[in-house]
Amino acid sequence: MADTKGVTNTRRIRVEWGHCDPGDIVFYPQYFAWFDACTTHLFESVGLSPKSFFADFGLKGMPLLEASAKFHAASGFGDEIEAESVIVEWGNKTFKVTHRFTRGKTLLLEGMETRIFVTAHPDDPTRLKSVPVPKDVKRRFEG
Amino acid sequence: MADTKGVTNTRRIRVEWGHCDPGDIVFYPQYFAWFDACTTHLFESVGLSPKSFFADFGLKGMPLLEASAKFHAASGFGDEIEAESVIVEWGNKTFKVTHRFTRGKTLLLEGMETRIFVTAHPDDPTRLKSVPVPKDVKRRFEG
Amino acid sequence: MADTKGVTNTRRIRVEWGHCDPGDIVFYPQYFAWFDACTTHLFESVGLSPKSFFADFGLKGMPLLEASAKFHAASGFGDEIEAESVIVEWGNKTFKVTHRFTRGKTLLLEGMETRIFVTAHPDDPTRLKSVPVPKDVKRRFEG
Amino acid sequence: MADTKGVTNTRRIRVEWGHCDPGDIVFYPQYFAWFDACTTHLFESVGLSPKSFFADFGLKGMPLLEASAKFHAASGFGDEIEAESVIVEWGNKTFKVTHRFTRGKTLLLEGMETRIFVTAHPDDPTRLKSVPVPKDVKRRFEG
């Protein structure tokens, strides 16, 4: 894999009551749900819309090989978070996205996801099969 | 930090419809929600009950420094998963839990959480303050 | 619609940290997620397994027409809840399930769901189409 | 209770992958999570900010007495939903909010929540106690 200077997408996220736990901070798995949405929005930012992207490329999803986060500061109810996402690596079948969440000048957390592209398995549509990174997808992120 | 042979706790998890996404597999942040519950149950297995543990030790929670997962196989609606959790490291202020999820003989994923213990900050009860690992807590895991 | 004395299924639910909000009680939408799982388990209790039920009957899901809950008492982290579910009405295309949640002798909440059965639309597999209640499904609940 | 012509607040909601289930539509409890957030934003629209509202009025939350929804049409991944919320009734201790979700001209669902205001119980801070509707809160919605 080679590092790739990718398209960066930034979103604002509002922390709601239901995102938080009895410690009065965001329940940490929620950050991974936001990572997932941030990745969708990153693809959308290069014209790969959620309504058509999977159908256009015959995909069933982009499941994870790996996900991680390092937490630096907590956030809580009513906070406005800025989330910055970028694809930092492309493999033959994989890509790695990093997410950086800040609140004002405070770094809240840094996370990453390594994902693959899958289609329905030709022999059994209930199973998933990984496929190479579609060239047209990768090209969009290279500008 | 030194490695610690810890108490292992095993739970069965049932995958429900609402845990899964349009790819017909578990939405991956859900695994982290299960990690969190598995950690609670691990503490409960050594007598640290969710109803009294935090109050007994003056804690407000056990927030995360780091969390990660490596995904090996997918799981879907109706699956019965076995989750095995153990604390593998104790620091002065931190501990590291690993979680291993299997379905029958299939390894689904491996994850870890590094956490700290926090109390309400003495100067401002709306803030959190980390505290050393309570000795009585650590001792319970040493058998 | 006629009232039907149906099969009752009872489950135990454990309230985890992530189910609760900063008010230290269960975040109320979580109860509806449990309703959904309780309905699955009710079907499973009459032999309609989540792994095969939808495939056997060509179904794509059982979406909601209506859902409601009346909340009588709160529950929180570490609580053990008992959930009792029963189908109280069958229509031509609908069925109504009620759910009753208790903690010991305390009634926590009562809820209901009215659902339909859907298949993929024959003209457009991305759309859903409601179908009559399968007779073999209804019969199972009549004992 | 008397009907009240209230302040209406409208929000846009984007349906993400993780909001949807294997039926390729929004998992219905998610709509209630959005109701909850819509109620927060309705309060915010009259100047009752999530960061200070509860503290200013000594509140611990606004738990539910009742919640319900009628579902008219499904929504799925990538949809943009418009959610319109208004308080339609004030009681001495209760208020009722209605939520109306549309996608373009399509009515998706209609929901309602009846809520109370609670403080920490004076005799036992781990319990909750309902309090009358704060006059200053109600006044804001009367314009």
Side-chain angles (χ1 to χ4, degrees):
Chain A
M1 292 192 205
D3 272 58
T4 303
K5 223 197 219 169
V7 173
T8 296
N9 189 55
T10 303
R11 296 179 63 217
R12 289 191 73 76
I13 292 169
R14 160 70 179 258
V15 179
E16 304 294 353
W17 183 256
H19 297 142
C20 300
D21 65 26
D24 292 336
I25 59 174
V26 171
F27 181 56
Y28 91 84
Q30 179 61 48
Y31 290 112
F32 289 96
W34 286 326
F35 289 174
D36 188 82
C38 285
T39 297
T40 295
H41 287 262
L42 177 58
F43 276 70
E44 195 173 13
S45 75
V46 298
L48 298 166
S49 151
K51 302 300 283 183
S52 58
F53 167 39
F54 285 178
D56 289 350
F57 288 84
L59 300 173
K60 184 87 174 134
M62 303 190 297
L64 279 280
L65 288 188
E66 194 172 349
S68 66
K70 292 195 182 184
F71 303 94
H72 301 286
S75 59
F77 182 38
D79 280 357
E80 296 280 347
I81 294 175
E82 194 155 289
E84 195 180 280
S85 304
V86 58
I87 298 180
V88 293
E89 282 181 15
W90 290 96
N92 286 331
K93 291 195 155 191
T94 64
F95 65 98
K96 181 178 170 181
V97 194
T98 60
H99 306 285
R100 187 181 154 87
F101 283 35
T102 51
R103 184 189 53 229
K105 290 183 179 171
T106 304
L107 175 61
L108 300 177
L109 68 148
E110 295 169 295
M112 75 85 176
E113 298 169 304
T114 304
R115 293 175 179 261
I116 55 173
F117 295 94
V118 296
T119 55
H121 198 286
D123 300 339
D124 176 359
T126 69
R127 287 168 53 210
L128 301 172
K129 182 181 177 297
S130 74
V131 292
V133 171
K135 281 182 189 169
D136 286 354
V137 170
K138 186 176 171 186
R139 196 172 300 138
R140 301 233 185 183
F141 287 96
E142 294 170 339
Chain B
M1 293 191 204
D3 273 59
T4 303
K5 223 196 220 170
V7 173
T8 295
N9 190 55
T10 303
R11 297 180 63 217
R12 287 191 75 77
I13 291 169
R14 159 70 178 257
V15 178
E16 304 295 353
W17 183 255
H19 298 142
C20 299
D21 64 27
D24 291 337
I25 58 174
V26 171
F27 181 56
Y28 91 84
Q30 179 61 47
Y31 290 112
F32 290 96
W34 286 326
F35 290 174
D36 188 82
C38 286
T39 297
T40 295
H41 286 261
L42 177 59
F43 276 70
E44 195 173 13
S45 75
V46 298
L48 298 167
S49 153
K51 303 300 283 183
S52 57
F53 167 39
F54 285 177
D56 288 350
F57 288 83
L59 300 173
K60 184 87 173 135
M62 302 189 298
L64 279 280
L65 287 188
E66 194 173 349
S68 66
K70 291 193 181 185
F71 303 93
H72 301 286
S75 59
F77 181 39
D79 279 358
E80 296 280 348
I81 294 175
E82 194 155 288
E84 195 180 280
S85 304
V86 58
I87 297 180
V88 293
E89 282 181 17
W90 290 96
N92 286 331
K93 292 195 154 191
T94 63
F95 65 98
K96 181 179 170 180
V97 194
T98 59
H99 307 284
R100 187 182 156 86
F101 282 36
T102 51
R103 183 188 55 228
K105 290 183 178 170
T106 304
L107 175 62
L108 300 176
L109 68 148
E110 296 169 294
M112 76 85 176
E113 297 169 305
T114 304
R115 292 174 179 262
I116 55 173
F117 295 94
V118 295
T119 56
H121 198 285
D123 300 339
D124 175 1
T126 69
R127 287 169 52 209
L128 300 172
K129 181 180 178 297
S130 75
V131 292
V133 171
K135 281 182 190 168
D136 287 353
V137 170
K138 186 177 172 186
R139 196 174 298 137
R140 301 234 184 181
F141 287 96
E142 294 170 341
Chain C
M1 292 192 203
D3 272 58
T4 302
K5 223 194 216 173
V7 173
T8 295
N9 190 55
T10 303
R11 297 178 63 215
R12 289 191 74 77
I13 292 168
R14 160 69 179 259
V15 178
E16 305 294 354
W17 182 255
H19 298 143
C20 300
D21 64 27
D24 291 338
I25 59 175
V26 171
F27 181 55
Y28 91 86
Q30 179 60 47
Y31 289 112
F32 289 96
W34 286 326
F35 290 175
D36 189 82
C38 285
T39 297
T40 295
H41 286 262
L42 177 59
F43 276 70
E44 194 174 14
S45 76
V46 298
L48 298 167
S49 152
K51 301 301 283 184
S52 58
F53 168 39
F54 285 177
D56 289 349
F57 288 83
L59 300 173
K60 184 84 173 142
M62 302 190 297
L64 279 280
L65 288 188
E66 195 172 348
S68 66
K70 290 193 184 187
F71 303 93
H72 301 285
S75 60
F77 181 40
D79 280 357
E80 295 279 348
I81 294 176
E82 193 155 288
E84 196 180 279
S85 304
V86 59
I87 297 180
V88 293
E89 281 180 16
W90 289 96
N92 286 331
K93 290 196 156 190
T94 63
F95 65 98
K96 181 178 169 181
V97 195
T98 59
H99 306 284
R100 187 182 153 86
F101 282 37
T102 51
R103 184 188 53 228
K105 291 182 179 170
T106 303
L107 174 62
L108 299 176
L109 68 147
E110 295 169 295
M112 75 85 177
E113 297 168 305
T114 304
R115 291 174 179 262
I116 54 173
F117 295 94
V118 296
T119 55
H121 198 285
D123 300 339
D124 175 0
T126 69
R127 288 168 52 209
L128 300 173
K129 182 182 177 296
S130 75
V131 291
V133 171
K135 281 181 190 169
D136 286 354
V137 170
K138 187 177 171 187
R139 195 173 297 138
R140 301 233 185 182
F141 287 95
E142 294 170 341
Chain D
M1 292 191 204
D3 272 59
T4 303
K5 223 195 220 172
V7 173
T8 295
N9 189 54
T10 302
R11 297 178 63 216
R12 288 192 75 77
I13 292 169
R14 160 69 180 259
V15 178
E16 304 294 354
W17 182 256
H19 298 143
C20 300
D21 64 28
D24 291 337
I25 58 175
V26 171
F27 181 56
Y28 91 85
Q30 179 60 47
Y31 289 112
F32 290 96
W34 286 326
F35 290 174
D36 189 82
C38 284
T39 297
T40 295
H41 286 261
L42 177 59
F43 275 70
E44 194 173 13
S45 76
V46 298
L48 298 167
S49 151
K51 302 301 282 184
S52 57
F53 167 40
F54 286 177
D56 288 349
F57 288 84
L59 300 173
K60 185 84 173 138
M62 304 189 296
L64 278 280
L65 289 188
E66 194 172 349
S68 66
K70 291 193 183 186
F71 303 93
H72 301 285
S75 60
F77 180 40
D79 280 357
E80 295 281 347
I81 294 176
E82 193 155 289
E84 197 181 279
S85 304
V86 59
I87 297 180
V88 292
E89 282 181 15
W90 290 96
N92 286 331
K93 290 194 155 190
T94 64
F95 65 98
K96 180 177 169 180
V97 194
T98 59
H99 307 284
R100 187 182 154 87
F101 282 37
T102 50
R103 184 189 52 229
K105 291 183 179 169
T106 303
L107 175 62
L108 299 177
L109 68 148
E110 295 168 295
M112 76 87 177
E113 297 169 304
T114 304
R115 292 174 178 264
I116 54 174
F117 295 94
V118 296
T119 55
H121 198 286
D123 300 339
D124 176 0
T126 69
R127 288 168 52 209
L128 300 173
K129 182 181 178 296
S130 75
V131 292
V133 171
K135 281 182 191 169
D136 287 353
V137 171
K138 186 176 171 186
R139 195 173 299 138
R140 302 233 184 183
F141 287 95
E142 294 170 341

